[in-house]
Amino acid sequence: MIRTPLITVMVQAVRKAGRALIRDFGEVENLQVSAKGPANFVSAADRKAEDTLFQELSRVRPGFSFLMEERGRVEGTDSANEWVVDPLDGTTNFLHGIPLFAISVALVRNGIPYAGVIFNPVTDELYVAEKGQGAFLNDRRLRVAARRTLIDSVVSCGLPHLGRGNHGQFNRELAAVQTKVAGLRRTGAASLDLAWVAAGRFDAFWERDLEAWDMAAGMIIVREAGGYVSDLDGGDKVLEKGEVIAGNEDIRRDLLALLKGA
Ligand code: IPD
Ligand code: CA
Ligand code: CA
């Protein structure tokens, strides 16, 4: 595990927000049976988690800027250092009582992810990375999967749904990929997709129409686990374009070629 001052403060913040989220998740399971459902309760839990992260991170690093899903951009006196925060990634899962969601916090320095923490409070899985320090899942050092061929690979993806994304483009990409891989998955939490690539569970992941807070922490975690992350043209404008493909060197390259040909 990395014990730098930076990772220590990030971990404290996500653990604190995670304790409240876990309590709220318990309540969501009860609210499923009510006629109104848990939707309002979940958006309150989301905002509360973001408030906790905002307060904790501004206290320990006054002046750093923020990009947060709910509040948007909050300029600090230090614009080179920006916290990029998704207080609850996997909201739809959370709302439906599916225990696959996470808090995602990145420190982006001069536009490039420098440190990241992704925490699933249900499984108590804490993924951390800082530039040059490696990537860890709890105390275990992470390494991306070593598989070299798509036919052996399990690939995760985003799935456009009602009102979201380009369905025609996705369907073409899916048709190109699904006959070439060992398995396809869709978790519903992009931060965990990237964390699971870093952990070697997924060989690759791609998704379009994401936001910086879905990806920034996962990008540094994958890179520090020895993986490769790019946009869907193979460039480094992941955060700007809101699209990502990640995996080991060979699988990312081969999957990207399939998607480009779709
Ligand atoms: C969503 C999740 C999901 C992805 C969506 C995101 P949210 O984030 O990461 O996996 O497919 O595009 O918006 O809304 O749950 O924070
Ligand atoms: Ca998200
Ligand atoms: Ca969110």
Side-chain angles (χ1 to χ4, degrees):
M1 176 62 158
I2 309 169
R3 303 197 194 278
T4 60
L6 179 61
I7 292 294
T8 305
V9 297
M10 292 170 79
V11 167
Q12 269 164 5
V14 300
R15 283 208 181 273
K16 184 163 182 189
R19 281 194 289 276
L21 266 192
I22 244 329
R23 282 195 298 273
D24 291 339
F25 186 61
E27 189 58 26
V28 164
E29 289 173 321
N30 296 329
L31 289 171
Q32 294 295 352
V33 292
S34 75
K36 251 178 74 196
N40 290 338
F41 180 81
V42 168
S43 49
D46 195 334
R47 280 196 305 277
K48 204 167 62 186
E50 190 174 287
D51 286 347
T52 302
L53 293 163
F54 182 64
Q55 279 158 19
E56 287 296 305
L57 295 169
S58 1
R59 182 174 60 77
V60 291
R61 291 291 185 278
F64 280 22
S65 299
F66 280 87
L67 176 63
M68 315 192 83
E69 185 172 11
E70 308 297 327
R71 278 172 208 238
R73 200 174 288 275
V74 179
E75 288 297 338
T77 51
D78 180 349
S79 56
N81 284 297
E82 183 175 63
W83 297 116
V84 177
V85 176
D86 191 339
L88 172 55
D89 185 43
T91 321
T92 307
N93 286 344
F94 189 95
L95 181 65
H96 286 256
I98 300 168
L100 206 53
F101 56 87
I103 298 167
S104 176
V105 175
L107 179 64
V108 174
R109 192 163 276 175
N110 298 312
I112 299 166
Y114 179 83
V117 173
I118 295 171
F119 181 46
N120 178 345
V122 178
T123 56
D124 199 33
E125 287 189 326
L126 179 73
Y127 299 85
V128 304
E130 182 174 337
K131 193 158 177 39
Q133 307 281 336
F136 290 79
L137 163 51
N138 297 334
D139 285 327
R140 183 165 65 84
R141 178 123 194 189
L142 293 181
R143 200 64 215 157
V144 291
R147 289 179 202 90
R148 295 289 158 205
T149 55
L150 280 172
I151 53 168
D152 295 320
S153 295
V154 170
V155 173
S156 187
C157 58
L159 201 56
H161 46 88
L162 187 66
R164 287 284 295 269
N166 181 335
H167 293 215
Q169 181 182 40
F170 177 77
N171 289 337
R172 285 191 300 279
E173 290 178 345
L174 185 63
V177 173
Q178 69 185 160
T179 53
K180 304 278 194 311
V181 297
L184 275 162
R185 300 288 184 271
R186 169 15 167 202
T187 68
S191 61
L192 289 177
D193 286 308
L194 288 165
W196 288 15
V197 168
R201 294 175 182 173
F202 291 148
D203 296 283
F205 165 62
W206 96 93
E207 186 164 0
R208 298 174 187 276
D209 300 304
L210 290 174
E211 301 288 344
W213 49 77
D214 299 314
M215 304 178 287
M219 285 170 71
I220 179 73
I221 295 174
V222 170
R223 287 178 174 153
E224 286 295 317
Y228 287 73
V229 183
S230 73
D231 61 41
L232 289 162
D233 289 309
D236 57 10
K237 295 203 167 19
V238 174
L239 299 180
E240 294 88 330
K241 291 161 105 176
E243 56 184 44
V244 67
I245 177 165
N248 72 30
E249 191 174 8
D250 296 349
I251 302 294
R252 189 203 60 89
R253 187 198 52 228
D254 292 354
L255 181 64
L256 184 57
L258 274 185
L259 295 172
K260 282 189 148 196

